[in-house]
Amino acid sequence: MALVTISELLGQPAAAAFLRGVVARGRYANAYLFHGPAGSGKGTAALAFARAMLCDRGRPAREPTGPVHDDACGACPACRRSARLQHPDLRFLFPVSGEEKELDQTIAETLEALRTDPLFVFSYEKAASIRLSLTRELLRELAYQPFEAAYRAIVVRDADRMREDQYSALLKTLEEPGSTTIWVLTTARPARLPATIRSRCQRIRFAPLPETTLTSFLEARAGVLPREARLLAALSGGSLARALVLRDAEPLRLRDEALGLLAPAIQGDGAGLWKAAQGFMKYGRTGRETLRRMIEFHQLWLRDVLRASVGAPREALANRDRETEIRRQAETLDPREIRRRLMVLEEALHSIEGNVTADLTVFSTMARVAGARLGEGQWPAHPRARWDY
Ligand SMILES: [Zn+2]
């Protein structure tokens, strides 16, 4: 996540055009809700939108003949301060977790990382929430006019992580007519926000980022090698945050290890597969996350084989560094069999949401992907697969 202007946002042309239109008209709703998948740039866009509201060029009242102000200029004193999150009329709330006495420091460290590292990725614990004392303080402040700008912009990142009483307090301020406070909420889980809040927000949808956008960003801005960038982009499911986190995990090595698991399964070596499945689980922080990644590597691989079987060019392959093998498999595997394997993997992805033992899942999944040799060549009994292969 970086502090940028609307025009610098990555790969969200529709949302960006809409926001620039709002800034150009200078007529703001009380609240906006940016929703869409995690890592698609909602938080970055929310801050960029807030900066555009606070930019000095947006004031005084626009003259009809003057240049259109539809974004932060990036150069005025207000923009320079908002770029460092030090504008008095910009408030930025995000979920935190841990001991109350350590939260001040956690928040300060997070803000500093956000200011200094353009590739900073927010990551939360499951229980993280918007801090209660901060919303209380903020609500008291709302009784006063903004300090300098015409508006006060409040950005709440992952606004679905609040408590009931925070929502009811928020609701009251959203209903206030003629308010100079503009709320920009973001969420990847809009259904978790109370319907009363959602209905009072203007909703703006963010789409998953296209793979090509992610690939070029990773190469140009994150120093990722081209062969890894393509794989990371394909693995990330349209999330820049996810791609950046995976970047540190040696994706090519992990992929080769994940694909290597299939070898004993294909040879019908049950004992060897069991050993490999257990060995694989020692990587990564938790078995479940490792497992998910391993399955996703296999899915990407099989999708490449499927693409190759219909003559897709090299550029279309996520694992293009192993193109020869992919083409060889595409010649020998029936596309129907590839789809069956993809569905087994999809089913495994669903089953790891439940309480399954990671190494056992690896074992049975790989055995089934390998086909009949270990006696489990059938299609899944209750496939819930996405049919978009
Ligand atoms: Zn400015």
Side-chain angles (χ1 to χ4, degrees):
M1 178 155 164
L3 282 152
V4 296
T5 59
I6 300 175
S7 65
E8 292 166 327
L9 291 176
L10 186 68
Q12 296 291 352
F18 178 83
L19 295 176
R20 293 177 80 144
V22 172
V23 177
R25 285 189 297 280
R27 293 165 64 96
Y28 296 98
N30 278 3
Y32 296 86
L33 178 62
F34 291 10
H35 64 102
S40 55
K42 304 179 299 294
T44 307
L47 285 170
F49 184 41
R51 294 187 63 206
M53 276 176 220
L54 302 176
C55 171
D56 286 340
R57 303 247 167 109
R59 284 196 307 165
R62 291 132 255 281
E63 290 163 22
T65 51
V68 179
H69 167 85
D70 64 356
D71 198 356
C73 74
C76 72
C79 281
R80 285 204 298 273
R81 275 189 292 171
S82 65
R84 297 199 44 80
L85 291 169
Q86 283 163 346
H87 194 295
D89 294 316
L90 173 60
R91 286 280 178 275
F92 178 44
L93 303 185
F94 51 90
V96 282
S97 57
E99 295 281 323
E100 178 70 24
K101 60 180 189 306
E102 287 161 12
L103 290 186
D104 280 336
Q105 199 188 339
T106 307
I107 290 172
E109 282 170 3
T110 307
L111 291 176
E112 186 53 22
L114 180 57
R115 280 182 204 116
T116 51
D117 178 5
L119 301 177
F120 173 72
V121 175
F122 272 89
S123 68
Y124 310 129
E125 284 174 24
K126 224 173 174 181
S129 59
I130 307 283
R131 197 180 177 192
L132 204 57
S133 59
L134 284 185
T135 46
R136 279 203 199 111
E137 185 186 305
L138 189 65
L139 291 169
R140 277 197 296 273
E141 211 178 278
L142 297 189
Y144 304 95
Q145 288 300 306
F147 291 100
E148 292 175 7
Y151 306 102
R152 177 191 287 112
I154 304 177
V155 175
V156 186
R157 193 192 150 85
D158 293 314
D160 50 274
R161 290 169 177 266
M162 285 204 260
R163 287 179 14 175
E164 269 318 306
D165 45 347
Q166 287 173 299
Y167 287 127
S168 26
L170 173 61
L171 195 57
K172 261 187 229 153
T173 79
L174 295 188
E175 283 168 336
E176 224 168 88
S179 169
T180 47
T181 298
I182 298 155
W183 295 82
V184 188
L185 315 178
T186 80
T187 181
R189 308 179 293 184
R192 296 208 181 183
L193 278 170
T196 44
I197 300 268
R198 285 202 308 263
S199 65
R200 280 165 181 79
C201 294
Q202 168 125 40
R203 297 175 66 153
I204 296 156
R205 187 176 165 274
F206 284 68
L209 293 165
E211 280 184 25
T212 47
T213 306
L214 286 170
T215 307
S216 34
F217 180 93
L218 290 168
E219 284 179 34
R221 311 273 290 278
V224 176
L225 296 172
R227 61 191 182 136
E228 269 191 14
R230 181 70 177 79
L231 183 66
L232 282 177
L235 271 177
S236 71
S239 163
L240 177 60
R242 185 137 197 266
L244 288 172
V245 170
L246 283 173
R247 169 191 58 157
D248 299 328
E250 292 185 73
L252 288 179
R253 181 181 60 80
L254 273 181
R255 177 206 57 189
D256 291 346
E257 275 170 6
L259 294 175
L261 267 175
L262 204 53
I266 288 173
Q267 288 150 15
D269 173 8
L273 175 60
W274 178 235
K275 209 165 155 231
Q278 288 178 310
F280 194 81
M281 286 304 122
K282 71 176 184 279
Y283 299 105
R285 274 164 301 184
T286 65
R288 190 172 293 192
E289 194 42 44
T290 315
L291 180 56
R292 184 191 307 281
R293 205 168 286 170
M294 193 217 72
I295 292 171
E296 287 168 349
F297 278 124
H298 276 269
Q299 286 181 318
L300 273 186
W301 179 268
L302 287 176
R303 279 174 202 163
D304 276 355
V305 177
L306 202 55
R307 284 185 189 124
S309 72
V310 294
R314 174 178 162 80
E315 299 74 58
L317 305 177
N319 300 281
R320 62 180 74 157
D321 59 312
R322 290 176 64 173
E323 184 187 2
T324 318
E325 279 167 86
I326 290 169
R327 300 235 180 254
R328 204 184 311 131
Q329 287 192 13
E331 279 167 21
T332 53
L333 276 175
D334 178 0
R336 190 181 136 82
E337 169 60 14
I338 303 173
R339 288 197 183 89
R340 183 194 68 81
R341 293 183 181 190
L342 278 166
M343 288 188 60
V344 170
L345 292 169
E346 192 67 30
E347 196 189 51
L349 266 189
H350 282 292
S351 75
I352 61 176
E353 297 300 334
N355 279 325
V356 294
T357 314
D359 44 13
L360 199 59
T361 306
V362 175
F363 176 81
S364 80
T365 304
M366 288 307 111
R368 293 170 68 198
V369 167
R373 285 173 187 259
L374 289 171
E376 292 190 72
Q378 64 272 70
W379 287 69
H382 300 288
R384 282 186 290 170
R386 299 188 299 258
W387 289 90
D388 56 355
Y389 302 124

